């Protein structure tokens, strides 16, 4: 069982090694990187490449670790007891299985994605240490222990919004998805926009990397954003000449696909103003 990438996902050699190492070690794969570099998509493509079902747990700021195990609905049970319902005598009727429980009870191997773990409270990773390490947890309401029938492939993503605890990191295999160089990015573009004209792509990517390297930029455009931008360029049938910028117009064509806040737009407007002033 080895991951070698897919036709829909360009995986670097280092990323393939990381995925396969985590599978061999049977440890969670912790993937970090800029937003939009394909961390979430990696889990989907691993599942597709290995022909495995996937269970996705998207983390929010309000998510608690317990929700990944199970939730006990005491309110519904109290209401049913007041109404004289027969189902009230079986506490399992009021337990909602979480994503980890679903992964543990699967008859075969699955891919479990814990997406954007750094969005949750700082204690969230620590609260899952034992469950992810031992692949089991105890259900207090029923007195049963839920153990994984087959150890799942666990992929955890983080945007680096918060530092993760050392004890949690120690249990993971780590990989950072660096922003792709031009050669890799060309391969990614070819997957999503096959047959794009070379001249247009070269001009667009040159401009894209210039934008990313602009000093003072608050949010650098990501892989997903350059793909959206290229889609718009193709839809508008723009030529390489249409993309040319000068000092008077520093903003790129259709810049809303690349620049996502007013500070960065203002930065390029200031650059244009300074360029016009310098020519006077």
């Amino acid at each position: 069982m080895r991951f070698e990438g897919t036709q829909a996902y360009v995986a670097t050699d280092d990323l393939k090694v990381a995925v396969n190492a985590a599978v061999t070690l049977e440890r969670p794969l912790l993937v970090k990187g800029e937003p939009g570099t394909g961390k979430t998509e990696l889990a989907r493509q691993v599942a597709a490449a290995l022909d495995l079902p996937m269970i996705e747990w998207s983390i929010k700021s309000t998510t608690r670790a317990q929700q990944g195990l199970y939730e006990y609905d005491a309110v519904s049970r109290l209401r049913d007891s007041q109404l004289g319902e027969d189902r009230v005598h079986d506490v399992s009727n009021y337990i909602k299985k979480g994503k980890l429980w679903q992964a543990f009870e699967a008859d075969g191997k699955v891919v479990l994605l814990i997406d954007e773990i750094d969005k949750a409270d700082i204690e969230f990773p620590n609260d899952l240490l034992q469950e992810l390490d031992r692949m089991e947890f105890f259900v207090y309401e029923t007195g049963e222990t839920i153990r994984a029938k087959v150890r799942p492939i666990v992929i955890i993503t983080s945007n680096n919004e918060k530092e993760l605890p050392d004890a949690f990191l120690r249990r993971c295999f780590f990989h950072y998805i660096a922003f792709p160089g031009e050669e890799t990015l060309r391969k990614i573009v070819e997957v999503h926009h096959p047959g794009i004209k070379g001249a247009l792509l070269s001009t667009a990517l040159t401009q894209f990397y210039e934008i990313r390297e602009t000093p003072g930029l608050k949010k650098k455009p990501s892989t997903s954003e350059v793909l959206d931008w290229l889609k718009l360029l193709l839809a508008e049938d723009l030529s390489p000449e249409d993309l040319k910028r000068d000092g008077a117009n520093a903003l790129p064509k259709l810049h809303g696909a690349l620049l996502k806040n007013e500070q960065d737009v203002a930065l390029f407007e200031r650059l244009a103003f300074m360029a016009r002033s310098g020519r006077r």
Side-chain angles (χ1 to χ4, degrees), residues 118-133:
D118 53 326
K119 279 188 175 179
D121 182 84
I122 189 62
E123 290 303 319
F124 180 90
N126 280 334
D127 291 342
L128 290 177
L129 282 179
Q130 297 303 319
E131 289 77 8
L132 291 176
D133 197 27

Side-chain angles (χ1 to χ4, degrees), residues 220-252:
K220 295 181 178 181
S222 67
T223 308
S224 63
E225 287 158 342
V226 73
L227 292 174
D228 287 345
W229 186 49
L230 288 169
K231 182 177 181 179
L232 289 174
L233 299 183
L234 292 170
E236 295 293 328
D237 196 24
L238 297 182
S239 68
E241 291 72 24
D242 294 326
L243 298 185
K244 289 181 178 178
R245 298 181 298 162
D246 53 33
N249 185 19
L251 281 169

Side-chain angles (χ1 to χ4, degrees), residues 66 69-70 91 95 131 137-145:
Q66 181 65 31
L69 308 179
Y70 69 93
V91 68
I95 291 179
E131 289 77 8
F137 62 90
F138 185 71
V139 182
Y140 292 95
E141 288 77 9
T142 63
E144 61 182 326
T145 298

Side-chain angles (χ1 to χ4, degrees), residues 103-110 135 147-153:
F104 287 3
E105 74 176 359
D107 292 325
K109 190 175 285 292
V110 302
M135 286 288 151
R147 295 184 178 89
K149 295 180 181 179
V150 182
R151 197 176 185 101
I153 297 173

Side-chain angles (χ1 to χ4, degrees), residues 35-55:
T37 49
K39 300 185 296 298
T40 301
E41 187 62 24
L42 170 65
R44 297 174 182 145
Q45 295 301 323
V46 168
L50 302 181
D51 195 24
L52 298 175
M54 179 172 156
I55 296 173

